Amino acid sequence: MKTAIITGASGNLGTSVTSKFLESGYRVIATVINDHDRSMLPAHDNVVASVVNLMNTEESKLFVQDSIKQYGQIHAVIMLAGGFAMGSIENTSASDISKMTALNFETAFNISQPAYNHMKEHSYGRLVFIGARPALNATVGKTTMAYALSKSLLFKLSEQLNEDAKGSNIVSTVVVPSVIDTAVNRKNMPDENFEKWVKPGQLADIIEFICGDNADAIREPVVKVYNNS
Ligand SMILES: NC(=O)c1ccc[n+]([C@@H]2O[C@H](COP(=O)([O-])OP(=O)(O)OC[C@H]3O[C@@H](n4cnc5c(N)ncnc54)[C@H](OP(=O)(O)O)[C@@H]3O)[C@@H](O)[C@H]2O)c1
């Protein structure tokens, strides 16, 4: 049985991705931010949940080390924890950028570093980061400045991991959704055409494929999942 760590597992995308990996036969080690969020995870014998504040480097490292001690090899790490904020150049402060960087970059860095070190010992692993279109496209990025800057770091981190991993079977991917069709987005953008957005289930299928044996030869991927949005 393969083991995957999934962060942000109780979120809108996280619950779909967790269900998909469980259906595909993985053991899932899910992170949640508090005990209450455990109840939002799919009920399944092969899911275990840990409360971890991913902004805390030491706590995140201990969580990865404990997971390895308890369950052995970690095959995949899917880093979904993150968040969004609006803000243009005129009204974005350095503190806004620090907050977004902690939420979108450090939460992923804090897990990917110990996980990558472990994967190197096995010469095998899959790391999946969730980017965002504003990080690649300044037309949308200029109205979500702190968010776009914080997500842009994930692309560079993934590039550096892939460079370091050359010659092994460790692959880091950035999956880039456009707008995800969630209840929160429907409420905030009621006049948009929801059909153009990407469904959490579509992203879950793609992420599971990327981590599976059929994607074994893919290297240095950035996967744009925009649907028609
Ligand atoms: N929604 C979109 O349209 C969209 C588009 C492009 C990219 N993305 C990215 O896709 C990912 C998932 O999005 P989503 O809509 O599923 O978001 P979500 O529902 O807010 O899920 C994110 C999860 O991460 C958790 N989290 C936040 N900070 C944490 C921390 N310090 N430690 C541990 N857990 C923490 C959240 O817990 P709490 O809820 O309790 O804070 C939540 O469960 C995010 O990285 C997001 O930036 C989303």
Side-chain angles (χ1 to χ4, degrees), residues 128-182:
V128 180
F129 299 98
I130 301 295
R133 187 161 49 178
L136 294 175
N137 178 341
T139 308
V140 276
K142 69 179 189 159
T143 58
T144 56
M145 198 190 178
Y147 175 68
L149 289 173
S150 67
K151 286 288 189 186
S152 71
L153 286 171
L154 295 173
F155 294 84
K156 283 289 156 201
L157 173 60
S158 184
E159 256 178 57
Q160 290 178 7
L161 290 170
N162 282 325
E163 183 59 34
D164 194 70
K166 276 200 173 138
S168 74
N169 192 358
I170 302 172
V171 181
S172 173
T173 303
V174 188
V175 171
V176 192
S178 52
V179 182
I180 306 176
D181 188 2
T182 65

Side-chain angles (χ1 to χ4, degrees), residues 9 42-43 98 131 144 159 188 204 220:
S98 299
T144 56
E159 256 178 57
N188 291 335
E220 303 177 36

Side-chain angles (χ1 to χ4, degrees), residues 8 10-14 33-34 37 52-55 80-83 103-104 107 130-132 147 151 177-180 182 185:
S10 60
N12 290 301
L13 179 57
I33 200 162
N34 55 45
D37 284 4
V52 188
N53 176 9
L54 301 166
M55 287 188 199
L80 306 177
L103 182 56
N104 284 314
T107 55
I130 301 295
Y147 175 68
K151 286 288 189 186
S178 52
V179 182
I180 306 176
T182 65
N185 282 337

